[in-house]
Amino acid sequence: DGGITQSPKYLFRKEGQNVTLSCEQNLNHDAMYWYRQDPGQGLRLIYYSQIVNDFQKGDIAEGYSVSREKKESFPLTVTSAQKNPTAFYLCASSQDRIVGGYTFGSGTRLTVV
Amino acid sequence: DAKTTQPPSMDCAEGRAANLPCNHSTISGNEYVYWYRQIHSQGPQYIIHGLKNNETNEMASLIITEDRKSSTLILPHATLRDTAVYYCIVRAAGGTSYGKLTFGQGTILTVHP
């Protein structure tokens, strides 16, 4: 079945360390997105990519970096510059040229200690 | 994308219809109404979307007013598994208005036995 795989589901890191969250999709979608969710809050867009080798900052890009070397993959690195990295991170994809919904992964819960 | 307003919470008895309202008074002609739901600690799930006609699928019905300034998501026979946060989102589809979904706070729907 097609879908989005995020790994790992839970991640613990020490303060000051960079960490990379994986996101892979086999839906052949052009666009991919990273969202952050804090407790009791809606989702906020970090970065998005409409095509391979191109990506755009979302609303809260500071302290994060991404790459899009392959259509299927859109990894997110949480750097030490991110002040409050502990959150639930969600990856999504869509075929933007066609009206339809997004497909979300199951998320990665990052805890920085 | 137009802003949406939803009630913060609603209750519904199991087996009854759940009607979730959404106001989007600034919606423009090329913007669609999307509904997603998020069960705790999971990725959001696409439910339904529409432009101006009422829509129905296996999960729900979407009723959009004639002036398109508001809509209602209807879960015809709510079950306990429908307890979730429901997000109403307005966005343009296709073209250069790439789909950055902007999530508000949503409506917490609690289905009671």
Side-chain angles (χ1 to χ4, degrees), chain B residues 5-85:
Chain B
T5 304
Q6 300 176 252
S9 64
M10 294 184 65
D11 290 337
C12 178
E14 189 176 20
R16 305 297 292 268
N19 298 296
L20 289 85
C22 179
N23 287 323
H24 31 78
S25 58
T26 61
I27 193 170
S28 60
N30 68 339
E31 289 182 315
Y32 287 72
V33 179
Y34 285 77
W35 283 85
Y36 286 78
R37 72 180 183 185
Q38 186 178 25
I39 296 170
H40 183 63
S41 294
Q42 296 182 23
Q45 176 190 24
Y46 166 80
I47 302 173
I48 199 167
H49 74 279
L51 182 62
K52 55 182 178 181
N53 297 322
N54 297 338
E55 302 287 345
T56 296
N57 63 20
E58 65 277 6
M59 290 182 68
S61 295
L62 174 61
I63 308 298
I64 302 173
T65 58
E66 192 169 343
D67 63 7
R68 301 186 70 238
K69 293 185 177 182
S70 65
S71 61
T72 301
L73 177 75
I74 301 172
L75 307 178
H77 305 288
T79 70
L80 298 179
R81 287 176 294 180
D82 291 323
T83 293
V85 180

Side-chain angles (χ1 to χ4, degrees), chain A:
Chain A
D1 288 340
I4 295 182
T5 301
Q6 288 188 245
S7 60
K9 191 169 179 63
Y10 299 95
L11 191 55
F12 296 87
R13 279 294 181 268
K14 291 184 179 180
E15 194 171 342
Q17 288 183 334
N18 291 356
V19 60
T20 297
L21 282 59
S22 170
C23 178
E24 304 278 333
Q25 55 103 354
N26 60 3
L27 300 164
N28 200 33
H29 284 172
D30 289 325
M32 297 186 73
Y33 311 82
W34 274 105
Y35 286 87
R36 168 184 172 138
Q37 187 172 36
D38 294 289
Q41 303 295 315
L43 282 69
R44 292 184 292 168
L45 182 66
I46 305 172
Y47 266 99
Y48 64 103
S49 169
Q50 299 162 352
I51 195 169
V52 174
N53 293 322
D54 185 55
F55 48 83
Q56 308 294 329
K57 291 183 179 180
D59 301 317
I60 54 165
E62 185 175 350
Y64 300 97
S65 66
V66 293
S67 63
R68 187 87 185 275
E69 297 177 0
K70 298 186 298 182
K71 187 176 185 177
E72 310 80 45
S73 178
F74 191 41
L76 173 75
T77 297
V78 184
T79 74
S80 57
Q82 168 50 233
K83 301 288 187 231
N84 298 297
T86 294
F88 187 47
Y89 291 88
L90 285 157
C91 179
S93 72
S94 73
Q95 189 69 317
D96 267 316
R97 299 186 188 280
I98 300 172
V99 174
Y102 281 28
T103 301
F104 281 84
S106 57
T108 292
R109 189 167 299 280
L110 173 65
T111 302
V112 174
V113 296

